[in-house]
Amino acid sequence: MGQFWKILKFELKGYLHNKVFVGITVFLVVVLALVLFFPRLMDVLGGDDSDSPEPAGERDVMLLKGGDERALAAFTEAFPEYEVRLEDGDVQSPVTAGDAACAVELASLTSFTYLVDNLSIYDNNAQRVSEVLTDLYRLTALSEAGVPAEEVERIMTTEPTFEVRSLGVDQGQNFFYTYIMIFALYMVILLYGQMVATNVATEKSSRAMELLVTSARPTSMMFGKVLASGIAGLTQIVCVFGSALLFYHLNASFWAGNEIMGLFFDMPVSLLVYMIVFFILGFFIYAFLYGAIGSTASKLEDINTAVMPVTLIFIAGFMVVVFGMSSGSVDNPLMVACSYIPFTSPMAMFTRIAMSHPAGWEIVLSVGILAASCVGIGVLAAKIYRVGVLLYGSKPKLGDILKTLKKA
Amino acid sequence: MIGLILEFRDIHKSFGEKKVLTGLSFRAEGGKAFGLLGRNGAGKTTSIRILMGVFPADSGEVLIDGKPIDYKRVGLGYLPEERGLYPKKKIIDQLVYFAELKGMRAADAVSACDRWLRRLEMTEYRDKRLDVLSKGNQQKIQLVTALAHDPDIIILDEPFSGLDPVNAMLLKDVVKEEIARGKIVLFSSHQMSYIEEFCDSIAIINKGEVAITGDLAEIKRDYPRDRLALRSAQSAAIAAAFPGRTELAENGELILRLGDPGEKMAVMKKLSESFDIDEVRVFEPSLNDIFVEYAGD
């Protein structure tokens, strides 16, 4: 046990003295501070400018052809971001020339052409024009049918009242922080996993390993290294997420009313606990694998190709989860299967907990399998490590390692 | 722990199909240096790793004073042939790390490492990164990792390679001091002159087993005294007079093989009568000769 702590201390010191590691952490915290303090800074620097509405006179022009004053009024109301002008002549040239942002050519109240130079993927004006015209058409039709004006007004403005009651979880609300957590898990596992692999391979290529294997037990070396990188990773995450949370709460009044920020930071505590559990277990299972693979590479150049299979498994799991999240069906059979497979369960089960309501036994089973696999893979990785660190020269084949493992 | 006796007893080790050690046995004593010799791939590194406990032997025993080696009680120091530490880390940090891994307490490790840095004239590099040092100086740093924890058995694999004559002299002094302190020093080297200088006993490993082992002086004495070494201006004529029985040594001596050690006097007489001989004596093999004979195919 003594050796394990010494290795852990030495490796951890290595991370905390690593300028890149410290630099990235400080950089992320500074960026978060800038973003989250931005409204406060604007308030201090900008004075009362923030209260003024959008400056007038700089709005884009929308040309309306074939419409009357009533249509102009309706369009002006529906498109406040545009200066809507009636135009009887050619509307195509001004749009092409850039004098007008867009134009609407009405054939009748039920038929129109929307003209724009480059159609942005975010351009939903045609849809909005259609809604304006529908209203106009109905108004006209009802008036023509002799319905009194007040009645027409009542009919046109009446909307059903409704309320949404989610009996499970609100996927829309949870989507943001689930996504961020999954992405953070993805980044940290890949970054730190590769760091473990590189660390081991560096010791091997610098031949420090010759001395290490004769000085310490492989299990101590493996677990010490992986735990050190895990602590370093968690420290970085706690620094980044913790400072984000702190900065948000310091500026909470400035972010009031910003729904997206609210969605990010209003994570329930229970979910935070699950996140930490899956984070730690998920991290270790991959870090052990990366460490074992690192030990089989003789040269640093071999690392990237050697870790590829593990990285691919991980990316595949990530894709399944992200597609599951985007489609909203987080309980589809693939996701359910993935939430029990130890390599994908940290992401899949966390997503299901956050965006659905799996039964308690499902969560316990998933965490149980994950924890048991973590221990199993840790032991296996230490064995591979023990064999791998002594192999030099040509890259060992999987079969050779397995054969040697049997004997180890 | 002065006067330990290390014994390898019938050690076998295979990796997969490949048999690396096939019944290796030798004995090394404290207060003496022991030379472990063999060609590349003979099994020296595997033997050392078994001694260090990196992996177990398939069969056979490593004994200290007749009992299986107990790594908690017997300290081992190792200077591997493939040198290497952490190039980017501070020298004192990694020296202390390795000393701590060998069981030293942090404070003791620091003072021991500082003492060795002073002894090897490396104190000025204490707080520098390893990769700023020359190869020879890096090797001296590596030597500290083998010695700082005051091991009972010191294993030095090609310790002199890469050292300039001044540093080689310094290392020789250090090794002699450790031998004088009763340590078992295991030397593995292909530089036979160093082995001859230091080692009282040797073992030559060939194809996984000991081809010859024992006291070096005795091995030399027991070597068949069936050759004469002679110096003469008439070497060519002598070679012609004893066809197929002579060869020219590197030092210019002519080596003449006798049919039988008993005919030594008769041949010497014939030589002195027939040729102008500057010097003639019974040939005593160098370690190099012994190595070539026992480690060759």
Side-chain angles (χ1 to χ4, degrees):
Chain A
M1 193 48 94
Q3 278 186 340
F4 167 76
W5 289 112
K6 280 165 193 163
I7 292 166
L8 176 67
K9 200 176 106 191
F10 184 75
E11 294 290 334
L12 202 55
K13 205 171 151 193
Y15 280 109
L16 300 182
H17 285 187
N18 184 324
K19 289 189 186 101
V20 177
F21 174 82
V22 176
I24 287 177
T25 314
V26 172
F27 174 76
L28 286 174
V29 170
V30 169
V31 168
L32 281 169
L34 283 176
V35 170
L36 290 167
F37 275 96
F38 188 70
R40 184 189 283 268
L41 285 174
M42 288 309 291
D43 192 48
V44 172
L45 298 174
D48 48 18
D49 280 0
S50 54
D51 295 334
S52 60
E54 271 186 47
E58 288 175 19
R59 285 177 300 167
D60 287 333
V61 173
M62 174 189 271
L63 298 176
L64 182 61
K65 186 180 179 183
D68 53 12
E69 286 300 325
R70 210 160 54 112
L72 178 65
F75 271 80
T76 306
E77 195 187 334
F79 292 97
E81 71 274 31
Y82 288 104
E83 184 192 342
V84 185
R85 287 186 205 153
L86 282 176
E87 175 66 57
D88 291 331
D90 172 33
V91 289
Q92 196 168 329
S93 321
V95 172
T96 321
D99 297 333
C102 56
V104 178
E105 225 178 318
L106 298 180
S108 67
L109 283 183
T110 53
S111 167
F112 71 95
T113 308
Y114 175 67
L115 294 101
V116 67
D117 192 16
N118 292 319
L119 184 62
S120 152
I121 58 165
Y122 301 109
D123 192 335
N124 61 350
N125 284 351
Q127 185 63 35
R128 288 162 70 192
V129 169
S130 170
E131 282 164 16
V132 173
L133 289 182
T134 308
D135 282 356
L136 268 178
Y137 172 76
R138 286 177 184 160
L139 213 58
T140 314
L142 286 168
S143 302
E144 281 173 1
V147 180
E150 306 84 56
E151 192 66 5
V152 171
E153 181 70 21
R154 197 186 60 77
I155 292 171
M156 294 299 290
T157 53
T158 301
E159 283 183 1
T161 61
F162 68 94
E163 177 193 358
V164 178
R165 276 195 206 161
S166 169
L167 300 176
V169 290
D170 182 348
Q171 291 195 345
Q173 192 191 347
N174 293 3
F175 184 85
F176 282 101
Y177 52 70
T178 309
Y179 193 81
I180 289 202
M181 140 72 194
I182 297 295
F183 205 74
L185 187 62
Y186 175 79
M187 293 292 290
V188 169
I189 285 181
L190 280 189
L191 273 176
Y192 283 89
Q194 298 244 18
M195 247 192 233
V196 172
T198 313
N199 188 321
V200 174
T202 309
E203 278 176 354
K204 230 182 127 180
S205 67
S206 76
R207 303 279 171 157
M209 195 59 90
E210 290 284 322
L211 203 59
L212 276 173
V213 289
T214 57
S215 308
R217 284 181 302 279
T219 35
S220 302
M221 276 154 71
M222 183 75 177
F223 284 90
K225 267 178 207 308
V226 168
L227 200 65
S229 100
I231 292 174
L234 272 179
T235 310
Q236 195 170 38
I237 286 179
V238 167
C239 280
V240 171
F241 280 72
S243 54
L245 211 60
L246 177 72
F247 297 153
Y248 174 72
H249 283 294
L250 285 177
N251 298 291
S253 57
F254 292 89
W255 289 106
N258 188 318
E259 265 188 46
I260 298 205
M261 280 296 176
L263 289 179
F264 278 151
F265 289 103
D266 290 341
M267 188 188 286
V269 177
S270 64
L271 216 53
L272 206 66
V273 173
Y274 279 124
M275 172 173 150
I276 292 169
V277 168
F278 282 113
F279 219 104
I280 292 174
L281 293 175
F283 173 81
F284 281 121
I285 211 160
Y286 277 96
F288 282 133
L289 281 180
Y290 276 116
I293 289 172
S295 74
T296 64
S298 304
K299 288 176 289 192
L300 278 177
E301 304 92 275
D302 295 342
I303 280 288
N304 286 337
T305 42
V307 298
M308 188 107 67
V310 176
T311 308
L312 283 180
I313 294 175
F314 185 60
I315 291 176
F318 178 71
M319 299 303 263
V320 168
V321 171
V322 168
F323 286 134
M325 280 173 75
S326 323
S327 68
S329 60
V330 293
D331 285 324
N332 68 44
L334 193 57
M335 281 289 281
V336 172
C338 282
S339 60
Y340 297 114
I341 299 170
F343 299 113
T344 49
S345 63
M347 290 183 289
M349 195 37 120
F350 177 77
T351 307
R352 287 185 61 208
I353 293 171
M355 297 182 66
S356 172
H357 43 84
W361 67 265
E362 287 185 280
I363 300 174
V364 171
L365 184 64
S366 171
V367 173
I369 293 175
L370 186 59
S373 312
C374 217
V375 174
I377 287 187
V379 172
L380 186 74
K383 282 189 174 180
I384 295 179
Y385 184 86
R386 187 189 170 94
V387 174
V389 290
L390 296 172
L391 295 174
Y392 283 103
S394 60
K395 220 175 83 188
K397 294 191 190 80
L398 190 65
D400 296 344
I401 295 174
L402 291 178
K403 243 187 258 170
T404 327
L405 265 184
K406 268 189 206 161
K407 297 194 65 173
Chain B
M1 286 233 185
I2 287 174
L4 286 180
I5 294 174
L6 163 72
E7 201 177 345
F8 267 53
R9 195 178 280 174
D10 197 26
I11 300 280
H12 289 256
K13 181 73 187 174
S14 302
F15 294 106
E17 299 296 304
K18 195 178 174 214
K19 288 180 180 167
V20 180
L21 299 179
T22 52
L24 189 81
S25 301
F26 64 82
R27 188 184 143 99
E29 287 176 30
K32 289 180 178 176
F34 186 90
L36 197 58
L37 310 178
R39 296 177 62 187
N40 301 323
K44 296 189 300 283
T45 304
T46 304
S47 309
I48 290 172
R49 284 182 173 165
I50 288 173
L51 172 60
M52 302 286 302
V54 175
F55 40 66
D58 296 341
S59 66
E61 289 177 300
V62 178
L63 306 172
I64 295 288
D65 288 343
K67 292 183 206 116
I69 186 165
D70 177 0
Y71 293 102
K72 289 197 182 83
R73 297 188 55 215
V74 179
L76 292 114
Y78 179 36
L79 177 74
E81 183 183 4
E82 295 278 4
R83 317 274 198 258
L85 293 168
Y86 296 99
K88 306 280 178 204
K89 288 194 194 290
K90 229 203 271 182
I91 285 170
I92 187 68
D93 287 350
Q94 44 186 322
L95 289 180
V96 169
Y97 175 53
F98 280 108
E100 282 190 276
L101 285 182
K102 293 287 191 183
M104 289 187 96
R105 288 187 320 177
D108 297 341
V110 173
S111 61
C113 292
D114 277 332
R115 197 170 57 246
W116 274 106
L117 286 175
R118 265 198 308 279
R119 176 71 185 87
L120 295 173
E121 298 161 10
M122 296 296 288
T123 304
E124 60 181 304
Y125 302 109
R126 183 186 190 276
D127 295 314
K128 295 225 161 36
R129 273 173 26 171
L130 184 74
D131 57 0
V132 303
L133 268 59
S134 68
K135 190 171 170 246
N137 281 339
Q138 288 191 22
Q139 180 155 334
K140 282 158 82 178
I141 295 298
Q142 182 120 28
L143 187 68
V144 179
T145 63
L147 298 172
H149 57 291
D150 198 19
D152 306 298
I153 301 173
I154 301 165
I155 302 157
L156 304 173
D157 203 345
E158 292 292 358
F160 293 98
S161 74
L163 289 185
D164 63 45
V166 177
N167 278 329
M169 189 68 80
L170 185 62
L171 177 58
K172 278 183 196 173
D173 291 343
V174 168
V175 172
K176 282 175 185 160
E177 284 164 22
E178 293 300 306
I179 294 170
R181 291 180 62 207
K183 308 285 178 76
I184 297 177
V185 178
L186 277 190
F187 258 107
S188 174
S189 178
H190 293 129
Q191 289 172 281
M192 297 301 156
S193 56
Y194 286 118
I195 301 279
E196 281 198 289
E197 184 174 346
F198 282 108
C199 297
D200 305 296
S201 308
I202 59 159
I204 296 178
I205 303 177
N206 190 11
K207 294 175 184 160
E209 58 188 357
V210 171
I212 186 168
T213 183
D215 186 88
L216 184 55
E218 278 177 25
I219 290 174
K220 284 186 175 180
R221 220 170 17 248
D222 292 346
Y223 211 78
R225 301 171 74 82
D226 62 352
R227 277 178 285 183
L228 296 177
L230 49 97
R231 285 184 186 278
S232 166
Q234 294 178 288
S235 289
I238 298 171
F242 296 89
R245 291 169 64 182
T246 58
E247 57 185 300
L248 203 60
E250 277 178 17
N251 60 5
E253 289 182 340
L254 189 72
I255 309 295
L256 171 60
R257 187 177 294 277
L258 303 171
D260 171 356
E263 65 173 3
K264 181 178 77 183
M265 292 311 291
V267 173
M268 275 184 166
K269 190 164 177 253
K270 184 180 171 191
L271 281 171
S272 57
E273 285 168 3
S274 315
F275 304 98
D276 176 18
I277 304 291
D278 298 335
E279 182 189 347
V280 62
R281 57 184 168 79
V282 175
F283 173 75
E284 273 219 342
S286 66
L287 182 57
N288 203 51
D289 299 315
I290 297 172
F291 182 85
V292 170
E293 178 163 346
Y294 284 95
D297 290 322

